[in-house]
Amino acid sequence: ELARRFFAQAVEACTPASHKTIRVYTSSYDSWRLSTTVRARQADSIVLSGRTFDELRNDIAAFYGKGDWYHSLGIPYRRGYLLSGPPGNGKTSTIAALAG
């Protein structure tokens, strides 16, 4: 386990952010299947009004730390966001940056 974590961290440290990929999975009956991979988007390339991107990123970080709380109350541990706007306004780019 220690060696596995070491090598995973080494690979991540040596992989430039511009080459990181996001794995997209789709549901297939009783399992998840890798659908495609896309290149992660640089966070500094996202332009949203105010501090919207930072607020999203902070909310996601806070959510990751509350898994035990959700499970202790029997609440499904998931988070959803509804992004709206006309095509070309950066909804998909924002998700690619957050996922990256």
Side-chain angles (χ1 to χ4, degrees):
E1 177 63 22
L2 180 62
R4 186 191 65 73
R5 285 193 324 220
F6 171 77
F7 285 114
Q9 289 175 353
V11 167
E12 184 174 335
C14 294
T15 304
S18 63
H19 292 101
K20 290 187 179 184
T21 57
I22 302 164
R23 292 173 290 198
V24 179
Y25 291 87
T26 54
S27 174
S28 177
Y29 298 102
D30 62 346
S31 64
W32 291 93
R33 294 193 148 175
L34 179 63
S35 175
T36 187
T37 57
V38 295
R39 185 174 285 194
R41 181 80 183 243
Q42 297 277 356
D44 59 1
S45 70
I46 302 300
V47 179
L48 296 174
S49 63
R51 294 183 30 85
T52 304
F53 187 81
D54 292 331
E55 290 171 1
L56 281 168
R57 188 173 17 196
N58 292 340
D59 184 66
I60 291 168
F63 173 74
Y64 276 130
K66 295 181 180 176
D68 292 337
W69 181 80
Y70 277 78
H71 292 301
S72 71
L73 296 175
I75 301 170
Y77 182 55
R78 62 176 176 242
R79 191 65 147 195
Y81 299 96
L82 177 62
L83 303 179
S84 63
N89 277 12
K91 298 176 296 290
T92 302
S93 298
T94 298
I95 295 304
L98 289 169

